[in-house]
Amino acid sequence: MTTLTKRYSFAASHRLFAPSLTEERNREIFGKCANPFGHGHNYCLEVSVAGDPDTSRGLTMPRASMDGWVEDSVLDRIDHTHLNAELPEFLDLVPTSENVLVVIEAWLREGWHKHFPGQALRLAGLRLEETPRNSFRI
């Protein structure tokens, strides 16, 4: 079994803010990230898929197939959005990078069967880099 990992970039803005908390408490927890006007990141998403290479082509999966799946499932939804304001998943969920990664995983799993029906592959892992100093894995 081999694992293919590809990197994708997207830009998004958000405000770290829990509506159930006061402005003061949000500021204590999230610091400057609770700014009412929000802030943005240029994220890097790594997607890993595992499977046995196809014997005729020697590929775990065609790269274009993986790109189409990630673009359709994730990038078309999230790139250049304000997470809090434009994505229903974050109406009541604080868009921390941890939560963004959980939502991305759900989107990818939701699109799996459309893009890879009957293929013996599996989503092997995800990594989301928010900044050069902060990254998160599933």
Side-chain angles (χ1 to χ4, degrees):
M1 181 169 292
T2 61
T3 301
L4 166 64
T5 300
K6 291 199 69 178
R7 297 182 75 166
Y8 301 90
S9 298
F10 65 91
S13 61
H14 64 164
R15 179 185 188 203
L16 299 186
F17 180 85
S20 61
L21 303 175
T22 64
E23 283 283 343
E24 182 179 291
R25 187 68 179 127
N26 273 289
R27 189 61 86 166
E28 288 172 10
I29 294 169
F30 300 116
K32 64 184 179 182
C33 296
N35 175 344
F37 301 104
H39 65 282
H41 296 282
N42 292 316
Y43 293 93
C44 178
L45 174 66
E46 292 182 3
V47 180
S48 298
V49 173
D52 291 324
D54 178 285
T55 55
S56 65
R57 296 175 291 179
L59 299 172
T60 302
M61 82 164 24
R63 303 329 182 236
S65 297
M66 187 168 181
D67 293 343
W69 168 55
V70 174
E71 287 169 16
D72 183 45
S73 300
V74 178
L75 301 179
D76 290 348
R77 291 179 177 182
I78 203 168
D79 193 26
H80 288 85
T81 64
H82 187 289
L83 302 176
N84 309 69
E86 297 179 59
L87 296 176
E89 291 83 353
F90 296 108
L91 289 177
D92 296 315
L93 183 64
V94 179
T96 61
S97 290
E98 293 92 325
N99 284 336
V100 170
L101 192 56
V102 168
V103 167
I104 287 173
E105 179 186 28
W107 289 345
L108 288 168
R109 291 190 184 283
E110 180 182 290
W112 184 265
H113 295 293
K114 174 184 170 188
H115 289 272
F116 310 114
Q119 292 189 27
L121 300 167
R122 69 177 176 83
L123 180 58
L126 299 172
R127 179 178 172 269
L128 183 65
E129 184 176 285
E130 175 188 67
T131 70
R133 293 179 53 188
N134 297 325
S135 66
F136 306 87
R137 289 185 189 275
I138 289 179

